[in-house]
Amino acid sequence: MVPVVLRNCIQRGHVYKTGKRGRQVWYGRYRESVFENAQWRRVLRNVRLGSTIELLTQNDALMALARILQRVQPGSRSEAFYSAREFVEREWMPRMLPTLKSSTQSSYCTNLNRYVLPWLGETRLKDLRKGEIQARLSALSESGLSRQTVKNIWSALSSVLRIAVDWGYIKENPAHGVRLPARPPKAAVFLPGPEQVAQILQQLPEPSYTLLLLLVGTGLRVGEAIGLRWEDIDLNRKNLTVRRDIWHGQVNSPKYAASERVIPLGPLLAEHLQGRLSSAGSWIFEGDSGKPLDPRNLAKRHLYPVLDRLGISRFSWHRLRKLHSTYLGDLSVSPRIMQAQLGHADAALTLNVYTQIIPESQRRAIENLEALLFRNVPKTEPGTAVQ
């Protein structure tokens, strides 16, 4: 006779300890459904969980019993028993982490292992509350971490909990709606001017010369530039196609769907690339091993020494992407064109993060405004009043 399907019944069981002091042992009791003599019945089980040396507290014993109940209740999600740490380490990391880009994997693992898992401890997944997450993020912010770091920590935790919801372990994501620290005043970052860019190029050796010329002239992410092959360059049409991104030597797809794009090349940059084509390998920036070069090493070996000799503040390759966007904005280029050039999913990101005001242009604008609005205002000599 085929057994009738038995309704799943999630139970927590009961733990107790017995024995003489110093040699006490934790036991757990629970009921298990078994099919005997053509019918279901509930059987009381009593199992040894471990000594009080192995399991220091009652909560430790409950967690040990919960792991047993997860095996005997295969039809349930056991959300009543899973600790948040167990879910991250046993479910999310092996099943979801490999689906992320290499850079995202590195960021999530660092933030989870350093800031999230030690804090979670053995807190059950279903017992995690929004208020606790809010308090944790506030404490991290008060400890001196930047707003962006706190946001990255929240993003990693929220991603994990979102999967827990999708897989039915919990009903809602307790990280959803948590408030991040207030944004600090946005300070302008140093951007080299056109004259400084020319000075740097005069002293910069290859292949860093080509890399800087390419980044300034196109606004590519440095990983996109390092990931270019000669087959991605069309010198007849004077454009390039972004098809991949390289991060720490690993080839990835572009960051966003909008990041896979065609970018026009200016005549100077196209002519320079034409001159390098004769002695080219497969990659535009190729090392002796035939693999793409590491931009961090190029910065240490070439860019930083040149900046130090010229007395120019050090900046990263990525800063040139902001330089490109800023000067496009100064030329009154359409935000939609700027977004397409930088490969952003949202034009607001291009304008709010990657574009800043050039002081000289701002001064010219005010002078032009004054010339327009104040042209009929009579001039006065110092110390005199207008009648």
Side-chain angles (χ1 to χ4, degrees):
M1 179 178 178
V2 179
V4 177
V5 175
L6 187 68
R7 182 177 63 86
N8 290 324
C9 180
I10 296 177
Q11 57 176 315
R12 184 174 181 179
H14 167 71
V15 297
Y16 66 97
K17 57 185 175 182
T18 185
K20 295 182 178 179
R21 180 170 298 180
R23 291 184 295 175
Q24 290 182 306
V25 176
W26 285 103
Y27 281 85
R29 286 179 179 171
Y30 64 93
R31 294 186 181 276
E32 183 178 3
S33 300
V34 297
F35 191 76
E36 291 181 352
N37 300 323
Q39 63 180 354
W40 285 103
R41 66 188 186 90
R42 305 279 283 176
V43 177
L44 181 64
R45 304 293 193 192
N46 194 52
V47 294
R48 184 184 187 278
L49 302 174
S51 68
T52 51
I53 296 176
E54 299 167 318
L55 306 172
L56 298 178
T57 66
Q58 184 182 32
N59 190 58
D60 293 335
L62 284 170
M63 292 304 304
L65 179 59
R67 284 188 281 271
I68 295 174
L69 291 174
Q70 287 171 17
R71 294 194 295 270
V72 302
Q73 298 180 141
S76 74
R77 281 298 188 183
S78 303
E79 66 270 24
F81 315 114
Y82 241 146
S83 74
R85 175 190 284 272
E86 283 180 316
F87 176 76
V88 172
E89 295 176 342
R90 293 172 52 182
E91 297 283 349
W92 186 85
M93 283 190 171
R95 296 169 64 183
M96 290 304 301
L97 195 61
T99 67
L100 304 175
K101 291 183 182 295
S102 302
S103 56
T104 307
Q105 287 186 35
S106 177
S107 173
Y108 277 16
C109 282
T110 297
N111 288 318
L112 289 172
N113 290 325
R114 184 177 298 174
Y115 300 109
V116 176
L117 295 183
W119 165 67
L120 288 176
E122 295 302 322
T123 303
R124 290 187 301 172
L125 192 58
K126 72 180 292 290
D127 290 339
L128 198 55
R129 297 289 182 264
K130 182 180 295 186
E132 295 170 339
I133 296 175
Q134 182 71 70
R136 174 60 175 170
L137 295 182
S138 297
L140 290 173
S141 178
E142 292 171 2
S143 72
L145 294 183
S146 69
R147 183 183 189 276
Q148 186 59 50
T149 300
V150 174
K151 183 177 180 181
N152 291 343
I153 295 168
W154 168 83
S155 180
L157 176 58
S158 183
S159 178
V160 168
L161 295 175
R162 186 167 58 250
I163 295 300
V165 173
D166 292 344
W167 291 351
Y169 286 95
I170 53 178
K171 293 182 179 180
E172 59 182 24
N173 182 353
H176 181 71
V178 170
R179 296 185 179 182
L180 295 173
R183 294 181 183 275
K186 186 178 179 181
V189 299
F190 169 73
L191 295 177
E195 297 80 9
Q196 291 174 313
V197 171
Q199 291 175 346
I200 296 168
L201 287 171
Q202 287 174 358
Q203 298 193 27
L204 202 59
E206 287 288 4
S208 293
Y209 178 98
T210 299
L211 180 58
L212 187 139
L213 201 66
L214 187 66
L215 294 176
V216 172
T218 63
L220 290 176
R221 299 176 179 89
V222 65
E224 294 173 340
I226 293 295
L228 285 173
R229 294 179 177 270
W230 284 107
E231 64 194 44
D232 302 323
I233 308 295
D234 188 337
L235 292 173
N236 293 324
R237 292 186 172 87
K238 289 186 172 57
N239 61 36
L240 65 82
T241 302
V242 177
R243 294 189 173 97
R244 67 195 70 82
D245 180 282
I246 291 183
W247 184 83
H248 289 197
Q250 296 182 324
V251 180
N252 300 299
S253 59
K255 188 171 184 179
Y256 308 112
S259 300
E260 191 165 344
R261 61 202 188 279
V262 177
I263 293 178
L265 298 172
L268 187 150
L269 181 54
E271 182 181 353
H272 177 76
L273 292 173
Q274 180 74 60
R276 289 198 62 208
L277 185 58
S278 58
S279 59
S282 176
W283 303 93
I284 293 182
F285 301 99
E286 186 169 292
D288 295 335
S289 65
K291 297 180 179 180
L293 292 167
D294 188 336
R296 295 170 300 174
N297 290 339
L298 291 177
K300 292 176 183 177
R301 289 165 43 207
H302 296 162
L303 179 62
Y304 295 158
V306 169
L307 295 178
D308 293 343
R309 285 198 301 271
L310 293 172
I312 297 175
S313 300
R314 286 189 177 189
F315 55 83
S316 66
W317 295 118
H318 186 73
R319 189 71 59 81
L320 300 175
R321 180 167 163 82
K322 188 164 189 173
L323 174 72
H324 178 88
S325 178
T326 294
Y327 277 90
L328 281 182
D330 193 56
L331 293 172
S332 301
V333 173
S334 161
R336 184 66 186 86
I337 293 177
M338 294 170 60
Q339 176 192 356
Q341 184 74 9
L342 272 69
H344 285 149
D346 185 2
L349 176 64
T350 308
L351 295 176
N352 297 334
V353 178
Y354 282 84
T355 305
Q356 67 183 39
I357 301 300
I358 299 174
E360 293 80 4
S361 298
Q362 186 177 12
R363 178 170 294 279
R364 283 198 304 271
I366 294 302
E367 289 173 352
N368 292 337
L369 178 70
E370 186 178 275
L372 174 66
L373 297 180
F374 296 165
R375 56 189 174 186
N376 295 323
V377 175
K379 295 181 179 180
T380 60
E381 296 295 330
T384 63
V386 178
Q387 299 298 323

